[in-house]
């Protein structure tokens, strides 16, 4: 029992630390650009923070991110940490085989997306395709994990499950809106929709970690 409790606590702590790590690194890198934070967060893609100063990318100011390496490490660590925490915390609760297979696949997709986004930079001709694939994997993998976790854990904790499901829906709807904004050149709202796609995943990690720590 103590061993199982330790595993659950470890998973919960990793989720909390992973969420805080992502937000903290993003803020440090955004602050390090020297641009107003409002402009960075509302007008630029998150991936712009990972473009190295030696790279020229359309729509990204020259030398925009002095701490691009930190942001790219952030993407990779967040993806891997998400998968590890999910496996430790929620995997053994997947009693429905069909949902179980799908639910363990989605956090893996998120992890792979995070690695691709961190390794390959958006807007760079030789890397943009893999970066874009990684971003889509992250958006879908993370938000479907959030949504499915709400469904799987409904009987165990209804309030948590409802919040989890709503966060997943918000993230997925925002992803659709972001894609529509890109296709229609609505550049003034694209970055906002992107963060509305990403932040529900981060919020879910923090909430999940806190809920399970309090429970134990």
């Amino acid at each position: 029992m103590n061993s199982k409790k330790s595993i659950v606590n470890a998973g919960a702590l990793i989720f909390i630390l992973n969420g805080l790590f992502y937000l903290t690194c993003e803020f440090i890198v955004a602050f390090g650009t020297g641009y107003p934070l409002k402009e960075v967060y509302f007008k630029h893609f998150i991936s712009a923070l990972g473009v190295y100063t030696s790279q020229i990318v359309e729509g990204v100011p020259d030398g925009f991110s002095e701490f691009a390496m930190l942001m790219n490490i952030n993407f990779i660590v967040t993806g891997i940490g998400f998968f590890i925490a999910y496996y430790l915390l929620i995997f053994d609760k997947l009693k429905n085989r069909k949902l179980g297979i799908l639910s363990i696949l989605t956090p893996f997709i998120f992890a792979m997306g995070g690695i691709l986004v961190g390794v390959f930079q958006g807007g760079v001709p030789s890397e943009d395709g893999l970066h874009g694939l990684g971003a889509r994997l992250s958006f879908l993998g993370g938000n479907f994990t959030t949504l499915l976790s709400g469904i799987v854990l409904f009987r165990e904790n209804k309030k948590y499950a409802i919040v989890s499901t709503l966060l997943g829906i918000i993230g997925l709807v925002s992803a659709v809106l972001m894609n529509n904004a890109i296709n229609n050149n609505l550049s003034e709202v694209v970055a906002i929709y992107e963060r509305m796609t990403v932040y529900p995943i981060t919020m879910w990690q923090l909430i999940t970690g806190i809920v399970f720590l309090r429970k134990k």
Side-chain angles (χ1 to χ4, degrees):
M1 183 64 69
N2 288 335
S3 176
K4 185 175 181 180
K5 180 179 178 181
S6 296
I7 291 173
V8 170
N9 287 340
L13 282 171
I14 292 172
F15 262 139
I16 293 171
L17 293 175
N18 208 42
L20 292 175
F21 181 78
Y22 176 81
L23 293 174
T24 301
C25 285
E26 184 185 17
F27 176 79
I28 291 172
V29 178
F31 186 80
T33 64
Y35 285 76
L37 290 176
K38 182 178 180 180
E39 179 179 339
V40 175
Y41 279 92
F42 287 91
K43 293 187 178 181
H44 291 284
F45 283 110
I46 298 172
S47 58
L49 297 172
V51 174
Y52 295 104
T53 54
S54 60
Q55 297 172 323
I56 306 299
V57 173
E58 184 179 355
V60 179
D62 292 346
F64 184 59
S65 179
E66 294 287 342
F67 303 113
M69 182 174 289
L70 175 61
M71 195 63 201
N72 290 320
I73 291 173
N74 187 20
F75 291 138
I76 296 170
V77 170
T78 297
I80 295 174
F82 184 95
F83 179 76
I84 293 173
Y86 187 89
Y87 184 83
L88 293 175
L89 192 60
I90 298 177
F91 184 67
D92 69 331
K93 301 180 183 297
L94 304 176
K95 297 178 175 62
N96 183 307
R97 171 170 274 184
K98 291 182 180 179
L99 279 180
I101 293 173
L102 186 58
S103 297
I104 200 61
L105 181 62
T106 54
F108 177 75
I109 290 173
F110 177 82
M112 293 305 299
I115 293 171
L116 288 174
V117 168
V119 173
F120 302 100
Q121 276 62 64
V124 178
S126 61
E127 303 180 19
D128 190 53
L130 287 172
H131 178 91
L133 172 62
R136 288 172 176 80
L137 291 177
S138 294
F139 297 155
L140 295 177
N143 283 300
F144 270 116
T145 298
T146 301
L147 177 62
L148 289 170
S149 296
I151 296 173
V152 169
L153 300 176
F154 184 77
R155 291 185 178 180
E156 183 170 327
N157 189 327
K158 291 183 180 180
K159 289 182 180 179
Y160 164 77
I162 291 171
V163 171
S164 181
T165 303
L166 286 175
L167 287 173
I169 292 173
I170 290 171
L172 291 170
V173 170
S174 297
V176 173
L177 293 173
M178 178 184 65
N179 188 65
N180 178 69
I182 292 173
N183 292 335
N184 290 283
N185 296 316
L186 303 176
S187 58
E188 67 277 7
V189 294
V190 173
I192 296 174
Y193 287 142
E194 183 190 31
R195 283 177 167 80
M196 288 176 62
T197 301
V198 172
Y199 288 159
I201 303 170
T202 307
M203 289 176 62
W204 178 79
Q205 291 188 76
L206 296 172
I207 291 170
T208 299
I210 292 170
V211 166
F212 278 88
L213 274 183
R214 290 183 63 185
K215 179 180 177 181
K216 293 298 178 181

